[in-house]
Amino acid sequence: MLKNNVGGLDRILRIVVGLVLVALVFVGPKTPWGWIGLVPLITGLVRICPLYSLIGANTCPRK
């Protein structure tokens, strides 16, 4: 199982950016590119970023 590697501020920013991008699908320019916002939204909600796992990054506080 993957370990959590997305911490506090990083998580909040991912969720906000994801929501803003998905909102662009319904309001504003109504472009389908807004669905790309699901990536940061989901990684923020589940606290696991596959790219961080590949490069060995971790923004979670140490235990």
Side-chain angles (χ1 to χ4, degrees), residues 4 6 15 17 23 30-31 33-34 36 47 52 55 60 62:
N4 291 348
V6 177
I15 292 171
V17 168
K30 297 183 180 170
T31 175
W33 283 100
I36 199 74
R47 302 184 76 171
Y52 276 10
I55 63 173
C60 285
R62 295 182 190 229

Side-chain angles (χ1 to χ4, degrees), residues 5 13 17-18 25-27 33 35-36 38 41 43 45 47-49 57 63:
N5 59 6
L13 289 173
V17 168
V25 174
F26 303 105
V27 296
W33 283 100
W35 289 115
I36 199 74
L38 288 176
L41 180 62
T43 58
L45 291 174
R47 302 184 76 171
I48 298 171
C49 178
K63 293 181 181 178

Side-chain angles (χ1 to χ4, degrees), residues 11-23 34 37-38 40-41:
R11 181 179 187 204
I12 292 168
L13 289 173
R14 286 171 184 261
I15 292 171
V16 170
V17 168
L19 288 173
V20 168
L21 288 173
V22 170
L38 288 176
L41 180 62

